[in-house]
Amino acid sequence: MKPFYYIIIILLCITSCSSEFLETHSTSRVDESTVFLNTKNAQMALDGVFKRMYYNGDQSQNYMGYETMLVMSDLMGEDILFGARTTLFLQSYNWSVHRTVTSAMMNYCYRYHYNIIANVNLIIENIDNADGEQIERDHIKGKALVVRAAHYFNLVRMWAKRYNYESGQENSHLGVPLILTSEAGTDPQPQATVKEIYEAINNDLDAAIELLDGMPTRTNKINPNQSVANGLKSRVLLTMGLWEEAANYAKVARTSEYSLSQTIFTETPSRFCSQSNSEWMWGTLRIKSEDEGFSSLQVFFGNTDAITTREGPKCIYNNLYHRMSDTDKRKACFAPTKAIANSDAFSRPRASTEVPAYFNNKYMVPDHSDPQVDCPYMRVAEMYLNEAEALARLGRNSEAQQVLYDLIITRDPAYNKSTQTSTALIEEILLHRRFELWGEGFRYFDLKRMNMPLDRSLPAVFPDGTLEVTNHNASWAQYLEIPAGDKKWEFLYSDNEMENNPYIVQNEL
């Protein structure tokens, strides 16, 4: 891989490093002896990596690091749709951007991940020699390992065929280049197999879990701790079909540090925009003094006064909406009619903005002109869902029913513990997963890991049995249905990467 991103830590430290530090060192390559002189400097370098995960600088509005992948994933599923006219992220919704080899966005997504990986590789390699307490070195390395694992997990799920967990599968199909040292990142590298990449991800997380033991309480949840490492491990194991282990890690991740909130879906005027929420395990903490423009997950999925929101308000799939109980607090985040959506009961980008039926208020910002709010990467609610699904797939029905109940009773006070078993219980858990994690970046990845088709064509079913046609517009969406296993589930490598790396084997065109 051509090292277009070697090394940008100096540029990333703009909020945490001193001006003297910036002015006396080249921005084209890090002076490693200075950056890793001590644990204080190394943490500043890691803070720069964290900022790169959400800060877009002067790049395009939709080039916003990790949050870009969250937006793309949900727009590529069936549960979110564009309600009007916009172009930003339209190509994700209509499944064209990741299949266009000349796409600047696809090239950005690929480079972003390896940019982050290149930086954390340096931290992982050098932190052991930094001056400071051993526990400080351990925690910095552990956090860097979590970040590397998270980014390889994205890469392999986007650019490779799914991890096939059916019996006898070796997962020897090609994944992405696996670069675990800074030296390897200076030359083009061949693709590792999917099996090798998942082994590397698990190795990173296993090491991180051990290193992050005893980490102090965080003042900023962008720093992943041991519970985040366990939570990410549960995601990975769920994707690998290792149900027992996935359930165990999800349960361990639910430490006393977090608690389910009775009001997370009802808070106003802000909702899903502060990492201070008791359910948030990992997420950004934006600094209000920095001018980042209109670039955040809430800009694309929320009620901000941005043209992409006014021209393209995001709505829930009507088929999904009408499967929620009327007593479910999550249902109240969406407007079932145009009249309700445009009433005082709902928060719109502007009082004069007209929005369609099924418009969402899940992501609400207190100031419509200021979208620089926090973004969730992981919530404890996901851990309940991961554990419940894994237990149900193991046939441990009563345990799965109880874990699901413990979550859903905080969302729906009228919910009765499920009596479903086997496939019906799994389907109930997966349905609540869609309700709960709507707009948080899971749906494309979930469909792909379970080898399920995309289907945006289903009608909504009202309580009296009447039907309403899908609110997805076929001409706008282009694809209402995509079969499981279709070649479109894999991202293509850009022309730029194919030119720079002669070892890359292009995915099926």
Side-chain angles (χ1 to χ4, degrees), residues 223-496:
N223 287 273
N225 62 4
Q226 190 178 55
S227 61
V228 172
N230 280 312
L232 186 56
K233 180 86 172 179
S234 80
R235 285 184 188 175
V236 174
L237 294 168
L238 202 66
T239 302
M240 298 174 71
L242 297 173
W243 314 126
E244 184 84 39
E245 296 92 330
N248 291 339
Y249 277 96
K251 185 173 184 177
V252 170
R254 300 198 322 257
T255 68
S256 59
E257 181 182 352
Y258 316 104
S259 59
L260 292 172
S261 168
Q262 298 281 347
T263 62
I264 190 170
F265 286 92
T266 59
E267 295 166 356
T268 57
S270 61
R271 186 184 298 155
F272 279 86
C273 65
S274 174
Q275 65 160 242
S276 64
N277 188 282
S278 65
E279 292 197 7
W280 284 33
M281 298 173 63
W282 192 22
T284 62
L285 178 64
R286 280 196 160 84
I287 300 172
K288 293 294 184 182
S289 61
E290 297 170 0
D291 181 14
E292 298 176 34
F294 275 74
S295 182
S296 68
L297 180 144
Q298 286 83 354
V299 164
F300 296 98
F301 286 168
N303 64 336
T304 59
D305 185 17
I307 189 169
T308 187
T309 313
R310 297 194 307 271
E311 294 294 316
K314 306 309 183 292
C315 304
I316 189 172
Y317 184 22
N318 59 350
N319 172 273
L320 182 64
Y321 174 85
H322 287 288
R323 298 173 76 178
M324 282 190 265
S325 166
D326 287 342
T327 55
D328 194 323
K329 299 171 188 177
R330 297 170 297 190
K331 192 172 188 178
C333 292
F334 306 94
T337 67
K338 188 173 181 179
I340 294 175
N342 291 282
S343 70
D344 291 340
F346 260 66
S347 178
R348 305 186 301 283
R350 292 178 181 175
S352 59
T353 301
E354 186 174 281
V355 294
Y358 301 104
F359 178 64
N360 95 87
N361 264 183
K362 177 173 178 176
Y363 288 106
M364 295 177 64
V365 296
D367 182 351
H368 292 219
S369 64
D370 182 10
Q372 303 313 319
V373 292
D374 305 342
C375 173
Y377 294 169
M378 182 183 292
R379 290 191 298 116
V380 73
E382 180 203 344
M383 298 302 108
Y384 283 82
L385 292 162
N386 288 0
E387 183 181 0
E389 180 187 340
L391 290 171
R393 292 186 185 279
L394 288 166
R396 291 159 60 178
N397 296 315
S398 61
E399 294 174 76
Q401 292 161 359
Q402 184 62 53
V403 173
L404 182 64
Y405 175 82
D406 291 342
L407 170 64
I408 305 307
I409 195 62
T410 67
R411 279 46 177 154
D412 183 354
Y415 179 72
N416 293 314
K417 188 190 296 187
S418 178
T419 58
Q420 304 278 12
T421 61
S422 304
T423 301
L425 178 57
I426 294 170
E427 290 176 352
E428 181 181 357
I429 293 166
L430 293 176
L431 186 60
H432 278 288
R433 185 177 179 89
R434 293 168 69 186
F435 298 160
E436 180 71 27
L437 300 178
W438 186 97
E440 296 183 49
F442 287 89
R443 192 56 183 159
Y444 159 79
F445 293 124
D446 278 346
L447 288 170
K448 187 171 180 177
R449 75 174 169 89
M450 294 183 289
N451 201 31
M452 294 175 64
L454 174 74
D455 192 348
R456 298 164 166 171
S457 68
L458 299 174
V461 182
F462 289 85
D464 63 1
T466 59
L467 303 179
E468 179 181 76
V469 298
T470 176
N471 55 339
H472 282 282
N473 184 303
S475 62
W476 198 240
Q478 292 191 23
Y479 294 101
L480 291 183
E481 299 178 60
I482 296 178
D486 190 276
K487 64 183 180 181
K488 298 183 188 68
W489 288 96
E490 283 73 64
F491 283 50
L492 295 178
Y493 290 93
S494 70
D495 278 350
N496 184 55

Side-chain angles (χ1 to χ4, degrees), residues 75-90:
L75 288 178
M76 291 174 68
E78 73 275 46
D79 293 338
I80 295 182
L81 64 148
F82 280 70
R85 306 172 304 278
T86 187
T87 56
L88 285 173
F89 282 109
L90 171 62

